[in-house]
DNA sequence: GTTCAGGCCGCCA
DNA sequence: TGGCGGCCTGAA
């Protein structure tokens, strides 16, 4: 058990922000997270966060995974005081962080995300993990499944993942798994590239377009300059930034602003 | 019953 | 280079 005081960290907001599909509420204030072959339960009460894992595991993995060494308050403080819309969005989603998730898992996940709803995306990924992932048990006795390696999916028929409810996205994931497993695209190499270079390389993957590539860069490579434009963001930009989003002002952390806007659009209009 | 999801591919002008 | 039809499926 590790308990930490946190700023600008809210596990519920992160869960429903839609960047991680393997995080879910267990009860009111406790969430489970599967990442990097690990499992943890997190309980938050105000600023106090309790991670149900050993101190060593928190320090070596989860602290970095949740990007807890970064000062998101500084990003929020830099928001244009005249930009009421962005300030409201950042206020609502001030507990969001850009998680440092696995590159391959993000690639597959955002291939699945296209033209899809978040509820179904979660189910698709859960199905894939339970069918092709590795079954494990946490110290607390909870059974969970890891995300399968590309090699495990590369050998499948292109339509095999329709069994996991992927629909037409099945061949995107299988072909991409092959490209990676057979070395046509090297993820380790991509990790060493700049944002534009990495994006160009990801665009070679079948089923990866401009938007998905940006999501992979933001969530799988932590390139905070990536600014994925989906239907929601596109509509928000039209409504609130007639002359375009001031990307230059937020250079270096545009993706954080994108997440505030995305979260605000989906959860701000109750 | 309809619409529409965190789009992309393939085809056509 | 840009526009458009088609695509699996199931929440809402």
């Amino acid at each position: 058990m590790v308990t930490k005081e946190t700023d600008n960290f809210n596990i519920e907001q992160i869960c429903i922000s839609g960047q991680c599909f393997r995080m879910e509420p267990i009860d009111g204030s406790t969430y489970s997270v599967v990442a990097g072959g690990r499992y943890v339960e997190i309980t938050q009460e105000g600023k106090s966060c309790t991670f149900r894992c050993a101190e060593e595991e928190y320090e070596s993995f989860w602290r970095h995974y949740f990007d807890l060494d970064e000062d998101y308050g500084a990003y929020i403080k830099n928001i244009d005081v005249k930009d009421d819309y962005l300030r409201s969005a950042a206020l609502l989603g001030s507990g969001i962080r850009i998680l440092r998730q696995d590159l391959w898992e993000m690639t597959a996940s955002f291939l699945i995300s296209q033209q899809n709803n978040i509820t179904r995306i979660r189910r698709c990924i859960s199905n894939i993990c339970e069918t092709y992932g590795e079954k494990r048990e946490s110290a607390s006795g909870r059974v969970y499944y890891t995300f399968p390696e590309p090699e495990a999916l590369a050998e499948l028929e292109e339509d095999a993942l329709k069994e996991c409810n992927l629909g037409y996205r099945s061949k995107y994931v299988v072909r991409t798994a092959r490209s990676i497993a057979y070395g046509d695209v090297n993820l380790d190499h991509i990790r060493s590239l700049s944002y534009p270079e990495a994006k160009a390389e990801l665009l070679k993957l079948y089923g990866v377009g401009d938007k998905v590539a940006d999501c992979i860069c933001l969530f799988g490579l932590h390139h905070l300059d990536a600014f994925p434009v989906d239907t929601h963001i596109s509509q928000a930009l039209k409504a609130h930034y007639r002359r375009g989003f001031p990307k230059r002002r937020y250079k270096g952390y545009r993706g954080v602003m994108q997440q505030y806007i995305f979260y605000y659009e989906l959860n701000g209009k109750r």
Side-chain angles (χ1 to χ4, degrees), chain A residues 130-195:
Chain A
E130 287 177 24
T131 308
Y132 302 103
E134 199 178 310
K135 184 176 184 177
R136 293 190 186 173
E137 193 171 330
S138 72
S140 61
R142 178 97 167 201
V143 170
Y144 65 99
Y145 295 85
T146 63
F147 195 88
E149 294 303 310
E151 289 75 13
L153 304 184
E155 60 196 27
L156 301 177
E157 297 289 329
E158 291 195 349
D159 285 342
L161 293 177
K162 288 187 176 178
E163 299 293 319
C164 296
N165 295 308
L166 267 70
Y168 69 89
R169 304 164 196 81
S170 176
K171 63 176 180 291
Y172 294 167
V173 175
V174 173
R175 284 201 205 176
T176 289
R178 289 176 187 161
S179 297
I180 293 167
Y182 304 152
D184 300 328
V185 171
N186 185 329
L187 295 187
D188 286 328
H189 174 58
I190 289 178
R191 273 185 254 271
S192 71
L193 301 177
S194 68
Y195 162 52

Side-chain angles (χ1 to χ4, degrees), chain A residues 222-242:
Chain A
H222 210 72
H223 286 307
L224 296 186
D225 250 340
F227 190 92
V229 178
D230 59 49
T231 53
H232 299 112
I233 296 293
S234 177
Q235 285 178 27
L237 296 191
K238 276 178 195 158
H240 302 283
Y241 299 96
R242 299 297 296 274

Side-chain angles (χ1 to χ4, degrees), chain A residues 24-232:
Chain A
E24 58 185 39
I26 296 176
D27 61 46
S29 58
T30 303
Y31 289 77
S32 68
V33 186
V34 179
R38 302 155 188 273
Y39 174 92
V40 73
E41 291 173 6
I42 303 170
T43 303
Q44 180 165 24
E45 283 161 23
K47 291 188 172 187
S48 176
C49 270
T50 301
F51 295 75
R52 300 197 58 171
C53 66
E55 175 88 31
E56 191 279 327
E57 186 179 348
Y58 169 80
E59 291 296 338
S60 66
F61 187 83
W62 295 112
R63 174 176 170 177
H64 180 256
Y65 178 80
F66 285 107
D67 207 23
L68 286 169
D69 292 324
E70 211 61 45
D71 181 7
Y72 282 66
Y75 298 145
I76 295 172
K77 203 178 297 178
N78 281 340
I79 294 175
D80 187 347
V81 294
K82 298 189 295 295
D83 191 338
D84 291 330
Y85 173 75
L86 191 53
R87 284 164 57 85
S88 301
L91 185 64
L92 186 76
S94 62
I96 296 172
R97 280 165 186 266
I98 309 296
L99 305 185
R100 294 177 180 269
Q101 301 186 77
D102 178 74
L103 178 54
W104 153 242
E105 183 172 337
M106 289 301 96
T107 303
S109 296
F110 282 94
L111 278 172
I112 294 166
S113 79
Q114 63 183 72
Q115 198 63 19
N116 209 339
N117 61 67
I118 292 184
T119 309
R120 185 176 162 211
I121 297 167
R122 287 198 139 87
R123 274 195 44 224
C124 288
I125 291 170
S126 168
N127 290 341
I128 289 179
C129 293
E130 287 177 24
T131 308
Y132 302 103
E134 199 178 310
K135 184 176 184 177
R136 293 190 186 173
E137 193 171 330
S138 72
S140 61
R142 178 97 167 201
V143 170
Y144 65 99
Y145 295 85
T146 63
F147 195 88
E149 294 303 310
E151 289 75 13
L153 304 184
E155 60 196 27
L156 301 177
E157 297 289 329
E158 291 195 349
D159 285 342
L161 293 177
K162 288 187 176 178
E163 299 293 319
C164 296
N165 295 308
L166 267 70
Y168 69 89
R169 304 164 196 81
S170 176
K171 63 176 180 291
Y172 294 167
V173 175
V174 173
R175 284 201 205 176
T176 289
R178 289 176 187 161
S179 297
I180 293 167
Y182 304 152
D184 300 328
V185 171
N186 185 329
L187 295 187
D188 286 328
H189 174 58
I190 289 178
R191 273 185 254 271
S192 71
L193 301 177
S194 68
Y195 162 52
E197 292 168 335
K199 182 172 176 179
E201 201 63 21
L202 289 166
L203 285 170
K204 294 178 181 173
L205 296 167
Y206 185 64
V208 174
D210 193 69
K211 188 270 174 181
V212 169
D214 272 332
C215 284
I216 300 169
C217 284
L218 183 55
F219 304 125
L221 291 165
H222 210 72
H223 286 307
L224 296 186
D225 250 340
F227 190 92
V229 178
D230 59 49
T231 53
H232 299 112

